[in-house]
Amino acid sequence: MSCCAAVTAAHGHWSEGRAQLSRGQWVASISHLRAEGVDANGHPLPFDRTFIYPYAFRHSYAQRHADAGTPVDVLRELMDHKSIAMTQRYYQVSLKRKRAAVTTLSAHVVDRRGQAAPTSATAYELRSVAVPYGGCTEPSNVKAGGSSCPIRFQCAGCGFYRPDPSYLPAIEQHINELRADRETALAMDAAEFITTALTTQITAFEQVVTRMHRYLTAMPADERAELEDASTVLRRARAGAPRPLLPLTVVNRTPDQAP
């Protein structure tokens, strides 16, 4: 007889209330729970126990596999999802992988004209902020976390605009959107300054994309593959919502403490 069958035979099927009570007792029995990271004094941070609820285990299961390098198509099957996109919503990029990606991408930053403007990994993280089509180094916008652009995200003409190869898909998509807007403006017989402004933005973004692709094509295959992997990591990090990861804590129980 299996363990689950033995428990069912002895106690009957668990109600939702009983399951919640058992979970609460189990969480309370763990004397120390540590979160990732440390405080300003180097002491381990305590884990917020309110984040330990049944569905969180599913997300933590996905995260552990993702951090261990499990291919996303394999993880999709393990999670019994219909699409890979759904699976990717269940985990976030680990801090270690993100920092490695930042280190790689920081050397390949360009300016609004597509000219090389490499920076340090520290500056990439602390003195820039992600905006829809690249990075922004404008101080007030960085301080506001990217929500206070003085010129309303007209990145194509901004001297503080700093894209890197991880933004290529977003820039190319935006170019297509601008082209569609221009066609709509023409169909509406809009004023010439509107279509001129759209055309100018399209041209500027196309220049960045062209130079980035030219630069990537000229790279050795192994370096280009490394850069593409780092770009994928950062895109996932920007798309994913932060979610607390349940700690791995082993609790040794005596036979009489078994549920």
Side-chain angles (χ1 to χ4, degrees):
M1 179 182 293
S2 68
C3 178
C4 290
V7 171
T8 301
H11 303 286
H13 293 287
W14 280 22
S15 65
E16 180 180 352
R18 181 178 180 133
Q20 294 281 14
L21 177 62
S22 178
R23 177 186 58 80
Q25 292 173 338
W26 167 68
V27 173
S29 72
I30 304 173
S31 57
H32 300 287
L33 281 178
R34 295 178 178 178
E36 293 183 347
V38 295
D39 61 20
N41 298 316
H43 300 137
L45 295 171
F47 188 85
D48 186 346
R49 297 175 187 240
T50 62
F51 288 126
I52 304 178
Y53 50 91
Y55 205 68
F57 289 98
R58 186 166 171 83
H59 285 272
S60 292
Y61 173 82
Q63 182 68 61
R64 298 293 180 189
H65 272 288
D67 288 344
T70 301
V72 68
D73 57 329
V74 174
L75 185 53
R76 179 189 66 80
E77 293 185 11
L78 292 173
M79 299 288 290
D80 195 28
H81 287 152
K82 292 182 179 180
S83 70
I84 286 178
M86 174 60 72
T87 304
Q88 290 175 329
R89 292 172 56 185
Y90 272 72
Y91 65 87
Q92 58 181 318
V93 177
S94 68
L95 184 59
K96 182 179 179 180
R97 291 180 67 200
K98 181 180 178 183
R99 283 178 175 168
V102 165
T103 299
T104 299
L105 268 300
S106 61
H108 304 281
V109 173
V110 300
D111 61 19
R112 67 182 180 88
R113 299 179 179 86
Q115 302 288 352
T119 183
S120 68
T122 301
Y124 188 103
E125 288 192 286
L126 300 181
R127 292 195 287 274
S128 69
V129 64
V131 290
Y133 318 116
C136 175
T137 60
E138 198 285 316
S140 63
N141 196 32
V142 173
K143 185 176 180 180
S147 62
S148 183
C149 174
I151 57 173
R152 299 188 181 185
F153 301 103
Q154 301 295 309
C155 297
C158 180
F160 292 101
Y161 178 48
R162 294 293 185 273
D164 64 56
S166 69
Y167 287 98
L168 268 174
I171 298 172
E172 291 171 335
Q173 179 180 345
H174 187 51
I175 290 173
N176 290 332
E177 292 170 349
L178 290 171
R179 287 171 177 161
D181 290 344
R182 184 175 59 184
E183 291 302 313
T184 300
L186 289 170
M188 295 173 61
D189 193 25
E192 184 177 351
F193 74 85
I194 294 178
T195 54
T196 299
L198 290 169
T199 299
T200 301
Q201 289 187 68
I202 292 169
T203 301
F205 279 121
E206 285 179 334
Q207 179 175 255
V208 171
V209 168
T210 298
R211 290 184 173 176
M212 274 194 187
H213 279 303
R214 187 182 304 154
Y215 175 68
L216 292 173
T217 301
M219 292 179 69
D222 56 338
E223 291 185 19
R224 185 166 60 251
E226 180 183 1
L227 194 61
E228 290 173 351
D229 288 343
S231 296
T232 299
V233 168
L234 286 191
R235 283 196 290 268
R236 288 177 179 173
R238 289 194 291 263
R243 183 179 296 278
L245 184 62
L246 298 188
L248 288 177
T249 302
V250 176
V251 178
N252 296 317
R253 292 180 179 274
T254 59
D256 60 316
Q257 291 178 312

